[in-house]
């Protein structure tokens, strides 16, 4: 498991087969021992609220062994504090400076180690008036990762998506999409560059049919100019055929092809959410952002959705970041999880690590739960 | 999915609309040639066509693109004046009426499109009420420019002035645009047939555009601009596309309108005219092209037919307008209108949903 971005970029591609042992946390210049323990319990039950409470109690009694306390904010904090308090002021001296790998809290699936991460956020932030809605948001998403972004209501999750898609212009920080800085791009340019999304409050083209919705998603995949359309030139007929064919293929992912002619606004809630995902997929994205895809779905539909999210990733080989309150779903399909509270990332890690993280439990249950 | 042929499907599509217009043309033409149509209405036929074109093109902006524009008549006036000037020039060059008419149409459309672009770029940064107010203002600006525009043609070419006809400095030339008196000495080239052709062209442009990649993008921006951007649609481009195409068509309507009279004053294209076109659109149903055609026809003819009632004419006109707007929302009438389609299958709505699929949670 490689956590270190710098290490990753340091290795040439040829070393791929050797599966190099990257810097583990012990090698990093941070004394992990003095971190608050946030140990993983690999066989933890699914994280419902009760489960969390149980976990919290178990955590309070558990002995602290720090090595696995990965990637949470306090570690960064420790690192910063050290470099300040250590009295290591820069001064020129004859001897060689000892260079060490910078600790990073980025994690990606091992299979994505040598691919450019599809998304890199650096110190991303936005203010609404005086409110720091998102602050110092750092996240790396691997090329084919399914990542989760969780946190209590109002934590800033949707705002992060709005920053990534440029619905809001970030006040601070950088977003790299597949290595390309999206600075100054408009929402439509970002979409063309490869970020597609769904919305927490569904935004379909509700007066148009299901098929037309998907065809609009295909807007930049199939081309046909205004004049060709007005004069019904051969190009028009070719493009319409292509639109129709590709739209039905995409609808088939969620077995919605038989609903193609229904007006989107008349679909049941769950189907509207699925249609939004298909429309987003139609743009052939590199990164798919799903904002509470399971909201309003029944357990059967949610189960279905889980299968389909995995299927989409496997078939299209894209990265998916999802915001979700359904912990079953998150813990089940997400490979890496970031937890947001009050606009800041308070923890990052695997589902197991997150389930055992004290700060996460506290954020979800309030500080009162800690002592219980 | 086998698409089985059915008359009702064809009827609801664009072909139904074309068919209505063709049948209406044949009927009116027959009535006119057999002397069964009052001469007022015969003279009005090209005007009706012009207003149909104006209404259908405004529906492209209001219904399809979803922007409330209150300056549509201004683009008619741009088309009207440039078309008239062009016609005078072309007439001096060759003596083929239909070619002169055709080229003037083209010129009018071109300049109206240009005006649509110049106005659209700043105006379409706004939306909703703000956009409506600013289009109203731009419409008035264009009208006022026309009010002060003097154009003349003599042997040495075209002369322009924004002060007075004397400033044209012409030597025994012909004044084409004469300030507040508007376009004067127009060659009356418009015929019902030309009007019919223009209506068909407009329908083809609008209906073909709507059922295409560009049209879907325009409607996507209307339905949800944020979602449209999220799939990579340049919202400004498609709002502008609808606005400019509609302006060009309105310009042609202006040419057709102008060439049915021998003089047209700029006041013809003030905000009252814009509102009137909007009334046709709203009455016919926003986004409903067929409705625009019918309501434009009825509402252009109505005041003329009511002429015998002299001063009560506009009162009746207003009452009819209010009645048509209000009645469909009266519960009893509503029930009747809902009941009607069950008896007449071809009136059923286009994409009605099989029972169990509708009514999701919200
Ligand atoms: N456009 C906006 N203007 C002002 N405040 C906003 C805006 N968008 C979001 N916020 C605030 O930012 C915070 C985070 O909101 P949001 O991202 O929607 O949370 P969630 O994690 O539930 O998705 C909230 O306090 C919200 O009120
Ligand atoms: Mg949210």
């Amino acid at each position: 498991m490689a956590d270190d971005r710098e290490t990753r970029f340091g290795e040439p591609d040829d070393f791929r087969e050797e599966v190099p042992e990257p810097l583990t946390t012990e090698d990093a210049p941070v004394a992990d021992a003095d971190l608050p323990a946030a140990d993983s319990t690999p066989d933890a039950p699914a994280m419902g609220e009760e489960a969390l409470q149980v976990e919290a109690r178990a955590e309070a009694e558990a002995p602290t062994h720090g090595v696995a306390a990965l990637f949470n904010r306090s570690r960064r904090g420790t690192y910063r504090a050290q470099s300040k308090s250590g009295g290591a002021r820069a001064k020129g001296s004859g001897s060689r400076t000892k260079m060490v790998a910078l600790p990073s809290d980025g994690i990606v699936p091992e299979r994505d180690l040598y691919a450019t991460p599809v998304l890199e956020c650096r110190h991303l932030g936005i203010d609404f008036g005086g409110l720091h809605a998102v602050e110092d948001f750092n996240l790396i998403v691997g090329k084919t990762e399914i990542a989760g972004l969780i946190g209590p209501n109002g934590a800033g999750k949707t705002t992060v998506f709005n920053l990534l898609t440029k619905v809001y212009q970030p006040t601070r920080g950088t977003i790299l999409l597949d290595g390309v800085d999206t600075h100054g791009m408009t929402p439509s340019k970002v979409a063309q560059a490869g970020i597609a999304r769904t919305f927490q409050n569904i935004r379909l083209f509700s007066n148009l049919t299901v098929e037309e919705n998907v065809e609009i998603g295909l807007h930049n995949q199939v081309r046909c100019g205004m004049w060709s359309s007005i004069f019904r030139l051969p190009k028009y007929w070719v493009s319409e055929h292509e639109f129709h064919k590709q739209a039905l293929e995409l609808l088939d992912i969620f077995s919605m092809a038989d609903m193609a002619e229904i007006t989107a606004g008349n679909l049941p809630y769950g189907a509207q959410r699925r249609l939004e995902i298909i429309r987003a997929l139609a743009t052939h994205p590199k990164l798919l952002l799903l904002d509470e895809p399971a909201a309003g779905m029944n357990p059967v539909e949610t189960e279905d959705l889980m299968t389909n999210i995995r299927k989409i990733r496997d078939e299209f080989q894209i990265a998916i970041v999802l915001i979700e309150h359904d912990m079953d779903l998150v813990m089940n399909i997400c490979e890496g999880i970031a937890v947001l509270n009050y606009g800041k990332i308070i923890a990052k890690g695997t589902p197991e690590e997150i389930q055992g993280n004290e700060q996460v439990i506290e954020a979800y249950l309030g500080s009162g739960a800690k002592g219980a | 999915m086998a698409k089985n042929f059915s008359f009702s499907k064809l009827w609801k599509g664009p072909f139904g609309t074309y068919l209505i217009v063709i049948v209406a043309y044949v009927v009116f033409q027959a009535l006119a040639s057999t002397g069964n149509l009052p001469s007022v209405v015969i003279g009005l036929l090209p005007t009706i066509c012009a207003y149909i074109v104006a209404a259908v093109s405004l529906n492209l902006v209001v219904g399809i693109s979803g922007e409330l524009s209150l300056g549509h008549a201004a683009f008619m006036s741009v088309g009207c004046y440039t078309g008239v000037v062009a016609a005078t020039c072309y007439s001096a060059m060759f003596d083929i009426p239909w070619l002169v008419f055709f080229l003037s149409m083209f010129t009018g459309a071109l300049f109206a499109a240009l005006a649509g672009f110049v106005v659209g770029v700043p105006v379409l940064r706004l939306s909703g009420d703000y956009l409506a107010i600013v289009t109203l203002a731009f419409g008035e600006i264009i009208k006022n420019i026309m009010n002060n525009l003097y154009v003349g043609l003599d042997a040495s070419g075209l002369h322009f002035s924004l002060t007075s006809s004397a400033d044209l400095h012409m030597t025994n030339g012909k004044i084409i645009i004469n300030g507040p008196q508007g376009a004067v000495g127009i060659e009356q080239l418009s015929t019902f047939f030309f009007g019919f052709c223009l209506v068909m062209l407009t329908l083809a442009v609008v209906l073909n555009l709507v059922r295409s990649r560009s049209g879907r993008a325009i409607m996507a921006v209307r339905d949800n601009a944020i979602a449209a951007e999220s799939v990579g649609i340049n919202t400004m481009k498609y709002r502008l596309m609808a606005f400019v195409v509609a302006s060009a068509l309105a310009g042609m309507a202006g040419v057709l309108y102008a060439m049915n009279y021998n003089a047209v004053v700029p006041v013809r294209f003030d905000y009252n005219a814009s509102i009137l076109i909007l009334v046709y659109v709203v009455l016919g149903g926003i986004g409903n092209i067929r409705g625009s055609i019918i309501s434009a026809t009825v509402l252009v003819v109505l005041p003329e037919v009511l002429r015998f009632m002299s001063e009560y004419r506009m009162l009746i006109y207003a009452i009819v307008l209010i009645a048509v707007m209000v009645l469909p929302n009266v519960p009893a009438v509503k029930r009747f209108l809902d009941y009607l389609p069950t008896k007449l299958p071809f009136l059923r709505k286009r994409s009605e949903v099989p029972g169990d699929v509708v009514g999701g949670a919200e």
Side-chain angles (χ1 to χ4, degrees):
Chain A
M1 202 188 52
D3 57 298
D4 207 315
R5 183 170 92 87
E6 282 71 21
T7 315
R8 183 149 42 80
F9 287 133
E11 304 279 357
D13 264 18
D14 317 21
F15 287 82
R16 191 181 290 258
E17 294 81 34
E18 290 179 26
V19 189
E21 189 58 47
L23 284 182
T24 60
T25 37
E26 288 95 331
D27 299 325
V30 183
D32 277 308
D34 55 22
L35 287 176
D39 238 354
S40 63
T41 41
D43 53 344
M47 199 154 103
E49 290 213 339
E50 280 164 48
L52 262 177
Q53 224 148 7
V54 173
E55 204 99 54
R57 258 181 252 120
E59 208 56 54
E61 290 148 21
T64 55
H65 39 99
V67 180
L70 291 169
F71 320 129
N72 51 31
R73 194 175 59 96
S74 51
R75 188 183 146 195
R76 282 189 74 87
T78 319
Y79 165 67
R80 282 217 196 93
Q82 251 201 356
S83 59
K84 274 194 205 117
S85 60
R89 287 176 57 85
K91 51 177 188 274
S93 67
S95 62
R96 282 228 178 263
T97 313
K98 187 193 174 200
M99 298 301 281
V100 295
L102 198 67
S104 157
D105 56 1
I107 53 169
V108 290
E110 193 170 5
R111 62 174 185 278
D112 292 337
L113 191 56
Y114 295 110
T116 310
V118 76
L119 180 73
E120 266 190 86
C121 302
R122 290 268 145 229
H123 312 296
L124 201 56
I126 186 170
D127 302 341
F128 293 120
L131 173 77
H132 302 307
V134 174
E135 231 189 322
D136 198 28
F137 182 86
N138 293 290
L139 185 71
I140 295 179
V141 178
K143 197 170 186 302
T144 60
E145 179 178 350
I146 298 180
L149 185 58
I150 64 172
N153 272 324
K157 305 180 296 296
T158 301
T159 306
V160 167
F161 275 15
N162 285 336
L163 289 174
L164 297 180
T165 54
K166 299 283 170 164
V167 173
Y168 300 148
Q169 287 296 333
T171 318
R172 300 170 291 276
T174 315
I175 303 163
L176 298 183
L177 172 65
D178 205 14
V180 178
D181 192 346
T182 65
H183 180 80
M185 286 190 189
T186 58
S188 61
K189 279 276 177 298
V190 175
Q192 287 166 22
I195 302 185
R197 72 175 291 186
T198 67
F199 297 87
Q200 184 174 353
N201 44 344
I202 301 174
R203 287 176 179 275
L204 285 172
F205 308 121
S206 44
N207 294 312
L208 305 179
T209 65
V210 168
E211 183 183 330
E212 284 169 328
N213 269 268
V214 183
E215 285 170 349
I216 291 165
L218 287 164
H219 185 81
N220 290 311
Q221 307 305 315
V222 185
R223 299 253 163 202
C224 176
M226 183 186 83
W227 296 111
S228 305
S229 304
I230 287 179
F231 294 113
R232 290 289 191 256
L233 302 181
K235 183 156 190 214
Y236 166 81
W237 301 104
V238 174
S239 74
E240 283 303 291
H241 177 78
E242 199 57 31
F243 270 122
H244 181 71
K245 200 185 87 192
Q246 293 196 22
L248 289 190
E249 275 170 17
L250 283 159
L251 282 168
D252 254 345
I253 297 175
F254 283 109
S255 339
M256 285 178 73
D258 54 335
M259 298 182 183
E261 310 223 327
I262 298 174
T263 305
N266 290 342
L267 286 176
Y269 199 73
Q272 292 198 5
R273 287 219 173 273
R274 286 193 288 272
L275 177 56
E276 255 205 332
I277 297 176
I278 295 174
R279 184 184 65 189
L281 263 183
T283 67
H284 292 220
K286 292 171 184 159
L287 171 65
L288 179 60
L289 308 176
L290 305 177
D291 199 341
E292 304 198 9
M297 284 190 178
N298 62 39
V300 180
E301 285 179 314
T302 307
E303 190 70 35
D304 231 38
L305 180 74
M306 267 196 254
T307 325
N308 279 316
I309 290 176
R310 274 210 200 87
K311 190 172 116 189
I312 288 168
R313 194 272 311 273
D314 296 346
E315 208 167 293
F316 295 83
Q317 290 293 306
I318 58 174
I320 298 172
V321 178
L322 55 93
I323 294 173
E324 196 36 78
H325 286 302
D326 184 332
M327 284 305 150
D328 255 355
L329 186 144
V330 173
M331 296 301 161
N332 237 311
I333 66 172
C334 292
E335 294 158 311
I337 296 175
V339 189
L340 210 59
N341 198 17
Y342 296 114
K344 289 181 184 160
I345 288 187
I346 56 168
K348 276 189 233 174
T350 62
E352 290 74 27
E353 287 158 3
I354 293 301
Q355 283 177 30
N357 187 300
E358 226 173 62
Q359 293 198 9
V360 176
I361 295 160
E362 200 173 301
Y364 267 89
L365 301 176
S367 48
K370 198 179 165 191
Chain B
M1 268 192 305
K3 276 202 175 150
N4 46 351
F5 174 86
S6 73
F7 177 72
S8 83
K9 199 162 192 168
L10 209 61
W11 166 251
K12 281 170 217 151
F15 288 102
T17 313
Y18 294 133
L19 196 68
I20 289 175
V21 174
I22 293 170
V23 169
Y25 170 71
V26 170
V27 170
F28 274 92
Q29 191 65 280
L31 285 176
S33 53
T34 53
N36 284 318
L37 219 54
S39 60
V40 214
V41 177
I42 292 179
L44 210 57
L45 289 174
T47 306
I48 295 173
C49 293
Y51 277 114
I52 289 175
V53 173
V56 170
S57 61
L58 181 61
N59 212 338
L60 177 61
V61 177
V62 176
I64 311 298
S65 173
E67 319 282 3
L68 184 54
S69 164
L70 297 180
H72 206 57
F75 300 112
M76 272 180 91
S77 80
V78 172
C80 165
Y81 288 112
T82 52
V84 167
V85 171
T88 314
C89 298
Y90 297 140
S91 302
M93 284 187 254
F94 30 71
D95 195 23
I96 313 164
W98 66 265
L99 189 62
V100 171
F101 182 82
F102 178 84
L103 290 175
S104 311
M105 273 288 167
F106 186 77
T107 313
L110 206 66
F111 278 91
L114 194 69
F117 185 81
V118 171
V119 172
V121 167
V123 160
L124 290 175
R125 291 177 184 280
L126 306 169
S127 60
D129 306 343
Y130 298 100
L131 185 130
I133 291 165
V134 176
T135 50
L136 183 81
F138 265 100
E140 286 303 286
I141 290 172
I142 291 178
K143 190 203 82 184
N144 281 315
I145 293 173
M146 297 305 171
N147 233 340
N148 292 295
L149 182 68
Y150 297 84
V151 180
L153 178 72
D154 68 3
S156 62
L158 282 172
H159 297 259
F160 298 90
S161 165
L162 281 171
T163 48
S164 74
S165 53
D167 262 3
L168 290 173
H169 304 300
M170 284 195 303
T171 45
N172 62 44
K174 181 188 174 199
I175 291 179
I176 309 172
I177 311 288
N178 195 9
Q181 285 165 350
V184 290
I186 306 170
E187 267 192 275
Q188 283 168 272
L189 296 174
S190 292
T191 63
F192 185 33
F193 177 70
F194 284 158
F196 162 74
C197 292
L198 184 60
V199 171
M200 290 299 279
L201 175 75
T202 304
L203 285 178
V205 169
V206 172
L207 294 174
N208 283 354
L209 186 63
V210 168
R211 298 155 73 89
S212 74
R213 172 178 177 266
S214 308
R216 282 190 296 266
I218 291 169
M219 292 187 287
V221 175
R222 170 199 67 190
D223 274 10
N224 204 314
I226 290 180
E229 280 185 321
S230 85
V231 294
I233 289 174
N234 180 347
T235 53
M236 186 67 183
K237 175 181 167 186
Y238 287 98
R239 291 168 77 206
L240 197 59
M241 182 187 285
F243 198 75
V244 171
V245 170
S247 302
L249 292 172
M252 293 209 244
V255 179
L256 181 71
Y257 180 89
M259 293 196 177
N260 193 34
Y261 301 96
N262 51 25
V264 178
V265 290
V267 197
R268 278 264 159 221
F269 304 111
D270 64 356
Y271 66 89
N272 278 313
S274 295
I275 301 286
L276 206 62
I277 302 169
L278 187 64
V279 168
Y280 303 156
V281 172
V282 173
L283 205 65
I286 290 175
N288 183 344
I289 303 294
R290 213 176 285 186
S292 296
I293 299 172
I294 295 167
S295 71
T297 310
V298 173
L299 290 185
V300 173
V301 173
L302 194 64
E304 298 303 323
V305 177
L306 293 176
R307 212 168 260 285
F308 69 94
M309 293 204 258
S310 56
E311 61 260 40
Y312 295 112
R313 176 166 85 105
M314 290 326 275
L315 180 67
I316 304 284
Y317 183 78
I319 289 173
V320 170
L321 266 188
I322 292 170
V324 176
M325 294 282 195
V326 171
L327 274 182
N329 293 314
V330 174
V333 181
K334 216 172 181 169
R335 244 175 284 129
F336 175 73
L337 289 177
D338 284 343
Y339 165 80
L340 216 57
T342 61
K343 294 283 133 191
L344 306 167
F346 63 86
L347 281 179
R348 263 182 223 137
K349 285 207 183 103
R350 189 167 134 238
S351 47
E352 242 167 318
V353 196
D356 56 338
V357 191
V358 214
E362 178 67 77

